[in-house]
Amino acid sequence: KAFSEQDVRHAADKVISVGKPQMNFVMGRHGSYDEDEIKECVTEYLQKGFIINVTPVNPFVLTLLLLIEDIDIDRYVRYILQTAIDTKFKEETISFIRNTADEQFGEILVD
């Protein structure tokens, strides 16, 4: 879905409020945005000392996987699902993660 600079600001301000200096804003497979608007927002926050990385989900996940030397896929997927649940992702997104993981790796249960 399309997102705006207000969506990025909202997320950034939440991350800043808990004392973090950076965040990844991960865009879904069908995400879209106004490139100039988001670039302006990212630059503004960078000037304030906060780093925002806007990135599509597929390369983001691949990059994470490549950083892990000895990967335990079951543990990794459980972590992604639990994080999605804990941070209150939309139920549709949680279902997508769970279904994709099930298709790729077999059923993975999360408490």
Side-chain angles (χ1 to χ4, degrees):
K1 81 174 196 176
F3 63 91
S4 71
E5 136 302 309
Q6 288 298 73
D7 297 315
V8 175
R9 285 180 187 282
H10 177 73
D13 292 342
K14 285 173 73 173
V15 172
I16 289 168
S17 75
V18 295
K20 301 296 181 182
Q22 77 272 334
M23 73 169 202
N24 286 301
F25 189 96
V26 182
M27 178 177 67
R29 286 187 175 89
H30 305 290
S32 62
Y33 60 96
D34 179 311
E35 216 171 302
D36 293 333
E37 183 181 88
I38 298 303
K39 184 177 178 183
E40 231 176 85
C41 178
V42 168
T43 300
E44 177 188 323
Y45 276 83
L46 187 56
Q47 290 170 347
K48 296 176 185 177
F50 186 79
I51 300 169
I52 300 172
N53 179 40
V54 177
T55 185
V57 66
N58 287 356
F60 179 73
V61 170
L62 180 57
T63 298
L64 291 179
L65 290 171
L66 292 173
L67 292 172
I68 302 169
E69 275 188 47
D70 296 316
I71 188 163
D72 177 338
I73 291 293
D74 188 60
R75 182 176 177 206
Y76 179 73
V77 173
R78 281 195 321 269
Y79 172 77
I80 289 172
L81 278 168
Q82 195 61 56
T83 299
I85 293 164
D86 292 347
T87 56
K88 301 187 184 344
F89 279 31
K90 291 179 182 177
E91 193 55 45
E92 179 183 344
T93 303
I94 293 169
S95 293
F96 175 80
I97 294 168
R98 187 182 308 276
N99 293 338
T100 301
D102 289 350
E103 288 171 13
Q104 296 296 314
F105 310 114
E107 186 174 345
I108 296 175
L109 302 175
V110 176
D111 301 331

